[in-house]
Amino acid sequence: MPTRATPTVRQRRVGAELRKLRIAAGRNTEYAAGLLGLDRTKVSNMEAGVRAISPERIQILANNYECRDQAYIDALISMVESRKRGWWEHYRGQLPQGLLDVAELEWFATRLRSLQTVHIPGLLQLSGYARAVFDSALPPLPTSEVELRVALRTQRQKVLDHDGAVEYVAYVHECALRMQFGGRRNTREQLDHLCEVSERDNVDLRVLPVEVGAFPGAGHAVLYAHGVVPQLDTVQLDSAHGGEFTHADAQLAKYGAHMDWWHERSLDPQRSRDFIRSIARQL
């Protein structure tokens, strides 16, 4: 099996799930290596995501780890069967790995939810707005990299309009609507675009007004990507140094609860559109 120096978050996830199954079954790497006719190092590399694993070997391991959840096993198998190079691979070597991982995560998700407190969600950004966001980075990004990031962000938005487009729920704080990235005109165009795209059947855009007060998750922009089965859900957190991915049960529960809190207290889609239009008129 080939190895890969920098596995994607999806490849690492398959390995992490196999390790989780092995530990739950009370087995060590020597046991797994014996099942597959490999040495311990190769099994460790599989569990780290740096060595590919075939669907047949996933099934062998799952059977011997006494995992009876076939939907879960099939989902893991589908993750290694979909080895066709995604469109984001065009940017490999030109942009940070984390940006490509986000694109891959979104593409394979069955449902997406996000929380944004400062920016308009990336999947809903116009190119001018996105460019203004990237231009605000310190230290400054080279113009060529800014344009590559804008192109990647624009192409990511295809998950909302291709065949079988993903369902997307976006929670946006009022502060994000009022932040003028790129100036008043640029912001007004962005808000008008938000209202337009929120009319799509698969997009549920909800605004949390400032008057609601304190709210959970204030320090993070959060993307919650639902997997084919709940065990394969993933949360991605934005930070100044790049994206962080987590799938620990406690973290999934925590950020899922944040999403539920925002859903209960944010404005419904029509009231959100009216609210956004009122801000746009002020500009």
Side-chain angles (χ1 to χ4, degrees):
M1 290 288 183
T3 59
R4 186 179 188 127
T6 54
T8 69
V9 69
R10 188 173 172 84
Q11 291 168 323
R12 293 197 302 271
R13 183 62 183 277
V14 172
E17 293 300 314
L18 293 176
R19 182 175 185 274
K20 185 188 298 183
L21 285 174
R22 176 177 59 75
I23 292 174
R27 301 295 186 176
N28 56 28
T29 53
E30 287 88 347
Y31 176 81
L35 292 174
L36 302 180
L38 302 172
D39 60 48
R40 285 183 55 196
T41 300
K42 291 179 179 178
V43 170
S44 295
N45 286 338
M46 285 180 179
E47 293 185 349
V50 298
R51 184 180 179 87
I53 183 169
S54 68
E56 293 76 18
R57 282 177 166 168
I58 288 179
Q59 190 68 63
I60 289 171
L61 292 175
N63 289 343
N64 284 275
Y65 294 158
E66 299 183 357
C67 176
R68 302 292 179 249
D69 189 341
Q70 192 59 47
Y72 171 50
I73 298 170
D74 290 343
L76 289 175
I77 289 174
S78 71
M79 290 174 74
V80 301
E81 287 179 331
S82 54
R83 292 175 181 166
K84 183 179 178 181
R85 285 169 57 88
W87 62 263
W88 49 88
E89 292 292 336
H90 172 74
Y91 297 90
R92 188 165 299 282
Q94 303 179 77
L95 289 174
Q97 172 77 39
L99 298 180
L100 310 189
D101 285 339
V102 173
E104 183 182 48
L105 182 66
E106 291 170 340
W107 190 259
F108 287 104
T110 59
R111 184 172 183 248
L112 294 168
R113 293 187 291 170
S114 70
L115 301 179
Q116 290 287 344
T117 59
V118 178
H119 302 117
I120 300 301
L123 289 178
L124 305 179
Q125 290 180 8
L126 291 173
S127 59
Y129 182 96
R131 187 172 293 107
V133 171
F134 293 132
D135 277 338
S136 67
L138 287 177
L141 297 170
T143 300
S144 59
E145 182 170 342
V146 168
E147 293 307 316
L148 280 172
R149 287 177 180 237
V150 171
L152 176 70
R153 179 154 295 184
T154 300
Q155 202 159 357
R156 278 172 48 201
Q157 297 170 5
K158 291 183 178 180
V159 299
L160 300 180
D161 55 24
H162 67 70
D163 292 340
V166 70
E167 177 190 350
Y168 180 42
V169 185
Y171 303 105
V172 183
H173 196 274
E174 180 183 343
C175 290
L177 303 176
R178 296 188 180 277
M179 294 287 286
Q180 295 184 22
F181 285 96
R184 294 170 66 90
R185 179 178 178 180
N186 200 50
T187 303
R188 184 170 64 249
E189 290 176 352
Q190 177 62 69
L191 296 183
D192 289 341
H193 176 69
L194 276 186
C195 292
E196 179 182 343
V197 75
S198 70
E199 298 279 3
R200 296 182 185 177
D201 291 339
N202 63 311
V203 176
D204 186 349
L205 175 63
R206 294 170 179 263
V207 173
L208 187 71
V210 169
E211 65 187 26
V212 171
F215 57 93
H220 297 286
V222 182
L223 173 68
Y224 193 112
H226 293 254
V228 176
V229 292
Q231 298 98 309
L232 296 179
D233 289 358
T234 302
V235 163
Q236 185 257 329
L237 306 173
D238 277 345
S239 71
H241 60 269
E244 175 187 346
F245 299 85
T246 181
H247 48 79
D249 291 342
Q251 297 300 312
L252 292 177
K254 172 184 175 179
Y255 290 109
H258 285 190
M259 299 284 177
D260 294 341
W261 188 98
W262 279 60
H263 195 88
E264 292 174 3
R265 292 162 178 81
S266 58
L267 303 178
D268 64 40
Q270 184 56 58
R271 291 171 64 204
S272 291
R273 277 189 290 274
D274 292 341
F275 192 85
I276 293 170
R277 289 190 180 106
S278 71
I279 296 176
R281 284 194 295 270
Q282 296 171 26
L283 297 172

